[in-house]
Amino acid sequence: MTKLSVNLNKIALLRNSRGRDFPNVVDFAEKFISRGVHGITVHPRQDERHITRQDVRDLSRLLSCDGEVEFNIEGYPSEDFLQLVEEVKPKQCTLVPDSPEQLTSDHGWDLSQDGEYLATICERLNGQGIRTAIFLDPSLEQVERVKATHAHRIELYTETLAAAYGTPEFDSVLAKFKAVATRAQELGIEVNAGHDLDLQNLPHFLTIPDIKEVSIGHVLMIECIEQGLDSVVEQYLDICRQSA
């Protein structure tokens, strides 16, 4: 069964827009956990535009008390980011090639250029018992290079799949993702996925076998506003239960 990890960045963004601790990020983590989600994801950025370093520490304290719920911290591996990860020791750290100027993550790593650098980061985190994942475009050329980085997993960047949903190109795009996921698994690399997955496209994506985890935030929060938190979480969990 694929695990569902909820990204709380948008909760933090709402809070920061008003200058007080409402909505509270830890409270919302507890709401999602009580409804059965398998993980919590955060992406702290250098400017703390949404998730702050203190949020990471607060969530770490919450999740350390619940060994069933995984904590996934994603972000660019700057030294201050790595020190924060090493301090709280999440179950997983997903390395993302985003600059401080980017609005959101919009591409995977180019391992022909960054592979050696990422190998040093993965070895550093792996040595502390932290599972490492690399944010990757659906590229067979790139996935062939992952093994040399010592990363345990890749997270497939699924924006192109979401953009193709409902168009004649969708089947061919999905087939490309399947080919990359299959090749990663053949190489002994586990596969996560995230970015713009939603209640409509996720069932199609999870026809790809053995996807370990999907991380969903922005769209899920909008769906919760439209349909209610209980209904949305249960729909996602049902999709995950039926995964290939």
Side-chain angles (χ1 to χ4, degrees):
M1 172 180 162
T2 300
K3 291 184 176 181
L4 171 65
S5 187
V6 172
N7 187 312
L8 296 177
N9 281 21
K10 286 300 181 291
I11 298 297
L13 183 66
L14 282 171
R15 175 202 60 198
N16 294 354
S17 71
R18 294 301 296 266
R20 54 190 285 255
D21 192 21
F22 181 79
N24 179 273
V25 172
V26 173
D27 286 350
F28 264 84
E30 291 176 326
K31 291 179 191 296
F32 283 110
I33 291 167
S34 71
R35 287 156 176 84
V37 305
H38 311 108
I40 296 294
T41 292
V42 293
H43 187 150
R45 295 178 185 270
Q46 291 177 331
D47 60 6
E48 297 192 320
R49 71 184 75 163
H50 31 61
I51 289 292
T52 67
R53 288 160 183 78
Q54 189 58 49
D55 290 330
V56 173
R57 296 183 178 102
D58 293 343
L59 287 166
S60 177
R61 282 192 288 272
L62 170 70
L63 297 173
S64 66
C65 298
D66 190 335
E68 298 299 315
V69 179
E70 292 192 353
F71 193 17
N72 173 46
I73 304 177
E74 59 183 28
Y76 183 81
S78 60
E79 183 58 30
D80 62 333
F81 173 84
L82 292 172
Q83 289 178 9
L84 180 63
V85 170
E86 290 171 327
E87 175 189 338
V88 303
K89 290 184 171 53
K91 178 67 176 180
Q92 178 173 269
C93 178
T94 302
L95 305 174
V96 182
D98 55 351
S99 69
E101 296 78 24
Q102 282 179 230
L103 183 63
T104 187
S105 306
D106 60 14
H107 63 282
W109 290 97
D110 181 353
L111 298 183
S112 66
Q113 296 184 24
D114 299 310
E116 290 185 11
Y117 168 65
L118 289 174
T120 65
I121 302 301
C122 289
E123 287 179 337
R124 174 175 169 177
L125 298 178
N126 292 347
Q128 299 185 58
I130 300 168
R131 182 201 301 141
T132 49
I134 290 177
F135 199 60
L136 208 69
D137 293 320
S139 163
L140 286 170
E141 177 184 354
Q142 294 295 333
V143 83
E144 293 291 343
R145 301 176 185 271
V146 173
K147 197 74 173 176
T149 69
H150 311 291
H152 300 102
R153 294 186 179 184
I154 58 172
E155 179 178 327
L156 287 174
Y157 171 49
T158 49
E159 192 277 332
T160 54
L161 179 121
Y165 182 74
T167 74
E169 290 76 36
F170 182 75
D171 287 346
S172 62
V173 173
L174 179 60
K176 183 177 182 180
F177 276 88
K178 183 176 181 179
V180 173
T182 299
R183 182 56 182 152
Q185 292 157 357
E186 290 171 350
L187 293 168
I189 301 158
E190 295 180 324
V191 182
N192 298 339
H195 205 93
D196 287 346
L197 293 171
D198 61 25
L199 290 172
Q200 284 68 51
N201 59 46
L202 184 61
H204 299 274
F205 181 77
L206 291 184
T207 60
I208 300 173
D210 205 23
I211 300 297
K212 296 299 183 184
E213 173 189 290
V214 289
S215 175
I216 307 176
H218 177 77
V219 177
L220 183 147
M221 297 303 171
I222 294 170
E223 291 166 332
C224 285
I225 292 170
E226 293 176 336
Q227 303 179 40
L229 190 150
D230 288 346
S231 172
V232 168
V233 171
E234 184 53 37
Q235 288 177 73
Y236 274 109
L237 291 174
D238 187 54
I239 292 168
C240 288
R241 292 185 195 105
Q242 299 177 48
S243 57

